[in-house]
Each structure stands twice: as C-alpha cells, then as structure tokens.
Amino acid sequence: MSAAQAALEAKLPTATLSLAEDLFGILGILDGNPGLLRALTDPAREGKDKAALVSQLLAGKVSANAVAIAAGLASARWGSARDIVDALETLAASVAIAVAENQGLGPAGLEALEADLFRFNQVVGSNHELQRALDDSRATAEARSALALNVVPGIGEVARLLVAQAVAAPRGLKPVALVQRFLELVAKRQQRWIAQVSVTRPLTAEQLHRLQAGLDNLYGRKLKINVTVDPTLVGGVRVAVGDEVVDATAATRLAELRRRLAG
C-alpha cells in the first residue's frame, strides 16, 4: 500500500475529481465481484498477469490514470480480498482530498473539507431516525445519498462526493464511521503543511523568519511552523513535516537550516 500511495502522490498535484469518481467506481466493481477479487489476491498468479486482467476489464470504462492505479494495486501481493479494496478506497479518497487541497491552495481547502465532513457527522450522529434511514437497505443507494446531501446543503463538491460514497457504499461500516475515516485522511494530509520544529533554545524573530523561508524553500510550499524548545536535543534542530523527519542524521539539510538561522 505504501508503494501505491507513493506512486499516487506524483499524480495528485494535477488530479481531478473525476479520477476519484473513477476509482470509487472500480471499487464498486471489485466489491461486487468476489471471483475477480479471488483472482487478484491469488498468490499463485504473477503480478503482471493480475495487472493485465484488471487493465482488460477496465479498458474504455474509466480513465487511463484510474486503470493504471488499479492495475498497480492488482500487481502487488495482498493478504486478503478486503486488503486490496480497502487500499483502493483509501487511494480514491486521497485523490478527492488532494483536489480539495489544490482548489483551496493548500490548508484552506483541507480545512473547508474537514468542516464539511465534520458537519455531516454532527448532523447524522445526533439523529437516530436519520441514521436508520441512511442504513435502510430497502432504499436505493441513490436515494440514500440524496437524503444525506439534503441534510447538509451547501457543502463543497469534494465533500459531496465523499459523503455520497460513504452512504451509498459504506462497505460494512456505518456511514458516519466511514466519513470519520475520510476525516482522518484529511488530517493526515494537513500535516504536510505543518512543520513541527524542535530547537535547543528560543528563536528570535529574525531566526524564525529565516527558518520559515528555509523550510518553505525546502518543501516548496508555505508551511505553518510550530516551535518547541528542547534543551536536550542533539544537533540543534529537528524538523518533522508529515511523515518526514529531518534530524541529525540528515546532516546536509540540517546544515542548510542552521546556516539560515545563523544568518
């Protein structure tokens, strides 16, 4: 899954919502075809053969990017059928979240999406009758999605897609539980815009300005910086942005940051 997420990351700056819709569509196809899922998780099959099977099945039905992402997942080894479809759901949601990020020019878009999804969970979570209606298997997926969107009017297009997906295809979860998973993905994406900086002594205003400029240049985006003073720190500076940690083992990058702080 980590390899698939890394490969997807290169596509996210230019991703469109239609790619997320295509991936959710593929998810529906796989969830509805147990035989195909068994074939894609068969350890006796070569990865290239499984990728070819997916490519042949999806050709002309979704975008080439969506086919490539699904084929890449299929080529990997999976412990169970549930693992591969869960991974596909995560990738689809990640694309949608990146679209919100790009539309809002960074954290503003993610904050707006987070607020929309949180609003849905608040409304639904406090209304048991509404929860029953959204869980009613006698209603069509379209009808349940329409009801869900009616109770949170005015939310953005990315939130509409994720809410509709959570209600139409909760995949064994309550819709609010799946939306909560999407919220966790949004929070993880937001961490890319926050630099957790540890230093051995308090920074002056000038040093903080230099640090801001250095980190923005290093990561290619405007970061929010949270500074913590830790006198026991070895190396002088430790920076964590998302899953990446720059510490004393990254001597070149740290040397550049220390040079900027020193002026």
Side-chain angles (χ1 to χ4, degrees):
M1 175 60 189
S2 58
Q5 191 76 52
L8 179 67
E9 192 66 34
K11 303 178 186 293
L12 294 184
T14 57
T16 63
L17 206 55
S18 62
L19 176 57
E21 292 169 339
D22 282 349
L23 293 175
F24 279 132
I26 296 171
L27 175 63
I29 293 172
L30 295 184
D31 270 337
N33 195 327
L36 176 59
L37 278 177
R38 284 195 295 273
L40 296 182
T41 53
D42 183 352
R45 279 179 174 255
E46 292 287 338
K48 62 181 181 180
D49 294 334
K50 294 186 289 182
L53 175 62
V54 168
S55 297
Q56 292 167 6
L57 175 68
L58 298 177
K61 297 183 175 67
V62 294
S63 67
N65 268 343
V67 173
I69 291 168
L73 281 178
S75 68
R77 288 190 174 274
W78 298 94
S80 70
R82 180 76 192 198
D83 289 342
I84 188 172
V85 287
D86 281 353
L88 181 56
E89 182 179 67
T90 296
L91 294 183
S94 296
V95 170
I97 291 165
V99 171
E101 179 183 32
N102 297 338
Q103 289 175 341
L105 301 178
L110 295 173
E111 289 167 4
L113 175 59
E114 183 180 48
D116 284 345
L117 296 179
F118 183 71
R119 178 182 162 205
F120 171 79
N121 271 8
Q122 275 193 313
V123 171
V124 175
S126 62
N127 189 321
H128 296 298
E129 183 177 347
L130 181 56
Q131 290 176 44
R132 286 193 295 271
L134 295 178
D135 288 337
D136 189 351
S137 60
R138 295 170 298 178
T140 65
E142 292 77 9
R144 285 182 278 119
S145 294
L147 172 61
L149 295 176
N150 282 337
V151 302
V152 282
I155 62 175
E157 62 175 349
V158 176
R160 289 177 64 86
L161 173 62
L162 294 177
V163 166
Q165 177 68 23
V167 173
R171 308 182 58 248
L173 297 176
K174 297 292 185 184
V176 291
L178 185 49
V179 169
Q180 182 59 40
R181 281 191 183 178
F182 294 155
L183 276 166
E184 290 166 3
L185 291 175
V186 174
K188 184 175 181 179
R189 193 77 186 167
Q190 286 173 314
Q191 292 304 309
R192 295 175 67 254
W193 295 87
I194 300 174
Q196 306 288 351
V197 178
S198 298
V199 292
T200 54
R201 60 178 63 86
L203 300 178
T204 66
E206 178 62 22
Q207 286 175 322
L208 185 58
H209 175 75
R210 291 172 183 163
L211 177 63
Q212 180 79 62
L215 288 175
D216 290 351
N217 180 65
L218 190 62
Y219 286 91
R221 53 184 179 270
K222 180 73 172 179
L223 298 173
K224 176 183 177 182
I225 296 181
N226 294 333
V227 178
T228 301
V229 176
D230 180 2
T232 66
L233 186 68
V234 176
V237 183
R238 181 181 186 275
V239 179
V241 178
D243 294 330
E244 182 178 2
V245 176
V246 183
D247 57 19
T249 62
T252 301
R253 300 176 93 180
L254 274 181
E256 171 63 15
L257 285 176
R258 283 197 292 267
R259 185 187 67 77
R260 287 180 176 272
L261 288 178

